[in-house]
Amino acid sequence: RKEVEQDPGPFNVPEGATVAFNCTYSNSASQSFFWYRQDCRKEPKLLMSVYSSGNEDGRFTAQLNRASQYISLLIRDSKLSDSATYLCAVNEGGGADGLTFGKGTHLIIQP
Amino acid sequence: EPEVTQTPSHQVTQMGQEVILRCVPISNHLYFYWYRQILGQKVEFLVSFYNNEISEKSEIFDDQFSVERPDGSNFTLKIRSTKLEDSAMYFCASSEERRTDTQYFGPGTRLTVL
């Protein structure tokens, strides 16, 4: 399995600010891309799938850049409840079933 | 909203003992997975299961591990002879159809090997 890289942070951001983080992947054949949110010692919870055209869900926007092999997540108007670790996950295609995860980016929203 | 469930939430065992971790995937899902996460490390894929057989396994999934779907709802992970380094969170996940479909994770079983 190839690598999926994320800046571990922590990102300390004031409430209401906009924050963005990227995730790079090394396997150009990767097919599917996801952002998951993980709270301390809990399971990854799907935040959003990432499509080539980009997608938005409320305050969250995800983008995919295949040429540069990265995906991004933008959070607008951040809330205290957004504090979590954000995991990037990639299905590498070629018949692979499992997701390859990054180590996650730790986000702390400060009041 | 349908969820993946896992039992037990925490399992403590002695080194060398066998453990079985249980999962109930979402009912209309066809692909099932096990992942593990050692404390402070990333989530790692172990194995996938489709149509009553292993579809893919990682290099972590050695002969000490096995999976089974003993009935129409449960999906189990067995570790035959646990080692200290097997201590981790084990997450079960399921997806509706194709491999690249979104995977939904259960709450995990924390395995502690003493």
Side-chain angles (χ1 to χ4, degrees), chain A residues 1 32 36 38 43 97 99, chain B residues 37 48 55-56 99 103 106:
Chain A
R1 287 182 177 265
S32 304
Y36 283 83
Q38 186 174 36
E43 75 273 27
D97 293 343
L99 296 174
Chain B
Q37 186 175 32
S48 61
S55 179
E56 184 194 6
R99 296 172 163 108
Q103 296 180 23

Side-chain angles (χ1 to χ4, degrees), chain B residues 56-94:
Chain B
E56 184 194 6
K57 58 184 180 179
S58 72
E59 57 275 8
I60 303 169
F61 193 87
D62 61 22
D63 292 343
Q64 295 294 323
F65 293 92
S66 63
V67 289
E68 194 178 30
R69 186 153 163 85
D71 54 45
S73 59
N74 289 285
F75 178 51
T76 62
L77 174 69
K78 182 193 290 186
I79 309 175
R80 267 182 262 286
S81 177
T82 49
K83 307 182 187 70
L84 295 176
E85 55 266 35
D86 293 328
S87 294
M89 281 290 285
Y90 287 82
F91 295 111
C92 175
S94 67

